[in-house]
Amino acid sequence: MARLTSYGCSLVQTREDWLNDPTKPDCEQAMTKFLELKAEHLQLAYDQHQVVADLSVQIPSGRVTAIVGANACGKSTLLRGLARLLKPRGGVVYLDGHDIHRMPTKQVAKQLGLLPQTPTSPEGITVTDLVARGRYPHQSLFRQWTRADEEAVASAMSATEVLDLASRPVDELSGGQRQRVWIAMALAQDTAIMLLDEPTTFLDLAHQVEILDLLTDLNQQDGRTIVLVLHDLNHACRYSHHLIAMREGAIVAQGPPSTVITRDLVGEVFGLRCQVTPDPVSHTPMVIPIGRHMNASLDGLAFDTTVHVPTSSLEQRS
Amino acid sequence: MTATAATRSGPQAIARARVIVSTVRSSARVRQLRVGLALTVALGVMFSISVSVGDFSIPLLDVVPAMLGLGDKGSVFVVHELRLPRALAGMMVGLAFGLSGAIFQSVARNPLASPDILGITAGASAAAVLAIVAGASFAVLALSAFGGAFLLSIAIYVLAYKRGVSSYRFVLVGIGLSSMAIALTHYMITRADIYEAAEANVWMIGSLNAVGWETIGPLTAVLAVFAPLALLLTGRLRALQFDDDMAKGLGVCVERSRLTLLLVGVALVAVGTAASGPIAFVAFLAPPIARRLTGAPLSLLPAALVGALIVLAADLVGRTAFSSTEIPVGIFTGLCGAPYFLWLLARANKRGLAQ
């Protein structure tokens, strides 16, 4: 993880920067995967309800970007907009310089993959079949299943360690296993950019870390661009190079987590009092919420321990 | 961490993974192939039995020669004029219903969303009964049923459309419209004279009684166009079995593909209904049976074959079980389908409560 934080976090990395980066893994495939995703003056709405008003953003290529913000701040909507699932009311999303809505959707699917928040699987489908369906954009009527398809599915299942589950029905898997299978499917799609909407939400802590480690592997191995919507700020700080904080459909701050995440920003974005200290493991910012019952001074770490929640509430009850 | 990442993506790991993937995939394919073959053989046998058994029995071995016009004149007449068109129509109607059911259930991602439950066959019935009451010819009746099925489908699509079509709205709107079509049908039957009412009743249960060579032509034509089209759209249908976002992410034009597939499904069920009446629960039952046999979440061809088997078997039993009268094919399929329908509802209810 230390390697991740020392990775250098310029806002937008140029192709040259990336190629000269000494920590860059040696992988030829990686260079062809360097694709740019950005939005200009994006307006997104559901029916009459405008969610994103006028948003411009550039996703750093070859990096992990985390989008954070309170519930209903428009982060999932932005992700859906970037993934061309939502037609913008105004503005343009550019993939590699082209208007994403004017590109053939199957063409986009070869370059940009997506994992929705709660995907549903067809009843009774097996793990291998599900992962293989990620190859759809690479197939056609006359090119049904090739060696390349098999290789992509095999390496996706190997990277996500779901080979032992290969012939199991997806319905029977645990939450953590299922999420790895979904990521394997997105991986089999073999895209330069992967967008994931809250991939850790329904998992326990160990499985959350497992998924985030896996995504870091994918980013490090071949410079894949990864965009995540995350709820856990500490995970976002640890695992992303670039962090986008949103509030009411607009970007409040963006940049490396170490400069973006401050006490004031968390207050502004989440309306939450907190302390920010360096994470003892990764040295990235760590957010410690205060809440109503802690009488903490906002300047230091001096907690007033005389007001202790469990005791007082017990006394009230008795 | 990087070390394990390397071992997971090293050439040896990938080679091992490829072996596993291809083994799992080929064993699944072998099973599908076997099931497909077994179903085809079973259908051939059932077809021959259908042609062979009846008031005037023809030995099984003489069936194929008689179809080709060889053998004694009596057998050739019975086979050509009575049994063959009926068996052919039964088979093709079953193929159309099974295929249509599989398309509908996959597009709507709901085992309840078959065209008979959604009321598309009820729409056909209402239009057909209208034609019967109006004293129209059989050809007009068939056309009218075809039109009724389409009209009801359009109504479902328009009423269920809200930023795309969601599965639940689709099923609920369908069930609602189905009740309306049934009410309309009953109203017309109560107003009709007794002969027309009797004819309408038999038609509504679904029967192969009235089928002759003249129905075979249109059935063949529609099947020849739409069945291959359905098979060509299999890839898209597979992607649509996920949710809309996932399907779009995979590069499918969701609304356009869904509309095309539904159109194919409606055409198939409409032509089937026009030929034989709404044979209950075939479109509903065939796909899940096929899926259970093949173990694959989408089995279009097996679903069609199972549909044909169900119709031929039910018709055979209906023709021969009671010597005095013929029981319409729809009664037997209804008897078999209803318990499954109840089980599915009970299970859906339990799941809903669990969530």
Side-chain angles (χ1 to χ4, degrees):
Chain A
M1 212 39 59
R3 183 174 158 192
L4 183 76
T5 46
S6 65
Y7 205 64
C9 292
S10 62
L11 181 66
V12 177
Q13 202 187 22
T14 64
R15 195 185 187 110
E16 283 69 39
D17 280 345
W18 189 75
L19 290 174
N20 295 328
D21 189 337
T23 60
K24 172 186 72 69
D26 185 30
C27 180
E28 267 183 61
Q29 204 186 8
M31 288 189 278
T32 61
K33 287 193 168 178
F34 210 92
L35 275 175
E36 197 182 61
L37 181 66
K38 65 176 177 182
E40 280 176 10
H41 304 294
L42 198 61
Q43 288 177 43
L44 298 168
Y46 293 110
D47 294 329
Q48 296 308 308
H49 176 60
Q50 179 130 335
V51 181
V52 169
D54 178 23
L55 188 149
S56 298
V57 68
Q58 175 140 19
I59 303 298
S61 301
R63 292 306 174 96
V64 178
T65 299
I67 306 177
V68 298
N71 286 332
C73 73
K75 49 193 194 305
S76 289
T77 309
L78 174 62
L79 200 76
R80 297 187 74 225
L82 289 173
R84 55 98 170 71
L85 299 184
L86 205 57
K87 216 178 162 78
R89 202 52 67 85
V92 184
V93 174
Y94 291 103
L95 175 63
D96 203 23
H98 304 287
D99 180 349
I100 202 167
H101 277 279
R102 292 182 179 222
M103 292 170 74
T105 179
K106 214 169 170 178
Q107 185 65 36
V108 176
K110 286 181 190 168
Q111 299 170 351
L112 181 147
L114 166 91
L115 184 56
Q117 198 173 338
T118 45
T120 49
S121 58
E123 208 185 320
I125 195 169
T126 62
V127 169
T128 307
D129 193 2
L130 187 100
V131 177
R133 289 188 186 200
R135 296 300 294 169
Y136 175 81
H138 301 275
Q139 292 166 333
S140 67
L141 211 50
F142 307 106
R143 227 184 63 91
Q144 291 284 352
W145 183 258
T146 63
R147 203 190 150 86
D149 292 327
E150 189 174 283
E151 217 158 85
V153 170
S155 62
M157 288 177 67
S158 179
T160 50
E161 292 186 312
V162 295
L163 280 167
D164 297 338
L165 311 170
S167 52
R168 293 267 300 275
V170 176
D171 306 327
E172 291 173 8
L173 302 181
S174 72
Q177 290 173 327
R178 204 174 301 170
Q179 195 63 346
R180 273 188 291 148
V181 170
W182 283 115
I183 292 177
M185 180 185 166
L187 209 54
Q189 204 175 326
D190 195 23
T191 56
I193 302 170
M194 270 173 81
L195 310 180
L196 302 99
D197 195 354
E198 295 187 21
T200 56
T201 295
F202 297 108
L203 304 178
D204 63 45
L205 189 56
H207 284 109
Q208 289 181 27
V209 170
E210 184 188 281
I211 294 292
L212 292 166
D213 279 345
L214 168 64
L215 294 172
T216 307
D217 288 346
L218 300 178
N219 166 255
Q220 289 184 348
Q221 274 164 30
D222 44 20
R224 208 180 287 263
T225 305
I226 291 177
V227 185
L228 300 154
V229 169
L230 280 181
H231 264 305
D232 190 315
L233 281 177
N234 297 331
H235 285 165
C237 289
R238 254 193 198 195
Y239 285 96
S240 69
H241 305 108
H242 187 73
L243 202 140
I244 297 174
M246 286 183 71
R247 189 188 162 207
E248 288 170 10
I251 293 177
V252 180
Q254 59 175 325
S258 52
T259 60
V260 169
I261 292 297
T262 60
R263 206 173 62 197
D264 293 341
L265 181 105
V266 176
E268 190 186 344
V269 169
F270 292 94
L272 177 76
R273 289 197 311 150
C274 72
Q275 289 283 354
V276 176
T277 69
D279 183 324
V281 177
S282 64
H283 309 295
T284 51
M286 184 165 78
V287 176
I288 302 167
I290 292 172
R292 279 191 297 113
H293 297 283
M294 290 291 169
N295 189 14
S297 131
L298 283 177
D299 301 318
L301 281 168
F303 286 90
D304 182 355
T305 47
T306 50
V307 188
H308 208 30
V309 196
T311 340
S312 61
S313 55
L314 276 174
E315 274 165 11
Q316 275 173 1
R317 233 175 277 160
S318 62
Chain B
M1 194 181 70
T2 18
T4 54
T7 52
R8 270 186 261 145
S9 61
Q12 279 178 336
I14 301 292
R16 183 179 151 260
R18 281 192 55 183
V19 172
I20 294 175
V21 169
S22 76
T23 314
V24 171
R25 278 183 59 89
S26 64
S27 76
R29 219 163 349 163
V30 165
R31 179 171 167 191
Q32 282 165 40
L33 217 65
R34 277 199 193 139
V35 170
L37 254 154
L39 284 173
T40 312
V41 171
L43 184 60
V45 171
M46 182 55 83
F47 187 87
S48 307
I49 295 175
S50 271
V51 176
S52 144
V53 176
D55 288 340
F56 180 85
S57 269
I58 295 158
L60 258 180
L61 288 176
D62 295 348
V63 165
V64 177
M67 282 185 209
L68 299 170
L70 305 168
D72 67 283
K73 271 188 181 166
S75 300
V76 172
F77 173 79
V78 169
V79 166
H80 266 246
E81 297 309 313
L82 306 174
R83 305 257 173 89
L84 197 54
R86 185 169 182 149
L88 273 174
M91 183 179 78
M92 285 197 279
V93 164
L95 287 172
F97 280 168
L99 201 51
S100 174
I103 293 173
F104 266 89
Q105 288 170 355
S106 302
V107 168
R109 304 164 196 129
N110 192 330
L112 285 174
S114 76
D116 32 10
I117 308 289
L118 288 178
I120 292 168
T121 49
S125 296
V129 170
L130 184 70
I132 292 172
V133 171
S137 70
F138 185 78
V140 175
L141 185 154
L143 270 178
S144 170
F146 197 84
F150 261 96
L151 267 180
L152 201 116
S153 317
I154 293 167
I156 294 177
Y157 197 83
V158 169
L159 288 174
Y161 193 92
K162 192 188 175 194
R163 267 201 262 131
V165 179
S166 90
S167 157
Y168 259 98
R169 282 178 70 83
F170 200 72
V171 174
L172 291 178
V173 168
I175 291 175
L177 285 176
S178 169
S179 312
M180 280 172 67
I182 291 170
L184 190 71
T185 313
H186 286 313
Y187 170 76
M188 285 187 292
I189 288 179
T190 53
R191 300 298 300 255
D193 74 53
I194 191 148
Y195 296 108
E196 287 166 1
E199 193 191 339
N201 260 330
V202 169
W203 193 89
M204 271 165 50
I205 294 165
S207 158
L208 293 167
N209 256 344
V211 205
W213 280 109
E214 70 284 353
T215 29
I216 301 298
L219 256 177
T220 315
V222 172
L223 263 181
V225 173
F226 287 99
L229 198 57
L231 297 180
L232 285 184
L233 292 168
T234 307
R236 264 173 242 203
L237 195 51
R238 278 212 190 95
L240 278 175
Q241 284 189 308
F242 295 106
D243 46 294
D244 281 10
D245 277 4
M246 200 77 176
K248 273 184 205 166
L250 284 173
V252 174
C253 304
V254 169
E255 284 310 320
R256 200 197 307 163
S257 305
R258 176 155 45 210
L259 202 59
T260 316
L261 277 158
L262 288 181
L263 203 73
V264 172
V266 172
L268 287 168
V269 77
V271 78
T273 314
S276 68
I279 302 177
F281 289 133
V282 175
F284 173 68
L285 273 178
I289 292 175
R291 267 190 300 145
R292 202 134 299 178
L293 290 174
T294 60
L298 183 70
S299 323
L300 287 185
L301 214 51
L305 293 171
V306 171
L309 267 171
I310 293 177
V311 172
L312 283 183
D315 185 50
L316 185 70
V317 174
R319 276 196 299 131
T320 54
F322 305 96
S323 52
S324 53
T325 68
E326 277 192 10
I327 312 275
V329 51
I331 287 181
F332 280 96
T333 58
L335 275 176
C336 303
Y340 173 68
F341 182 63
L342 288 175
W343 178 77
L344 209 61
L345 278 180
R347 201 185 59 153
N349 217 4
K350 251 189 220 157
R351 275 196 180 172
L353 284 175
Q355 282 164 2

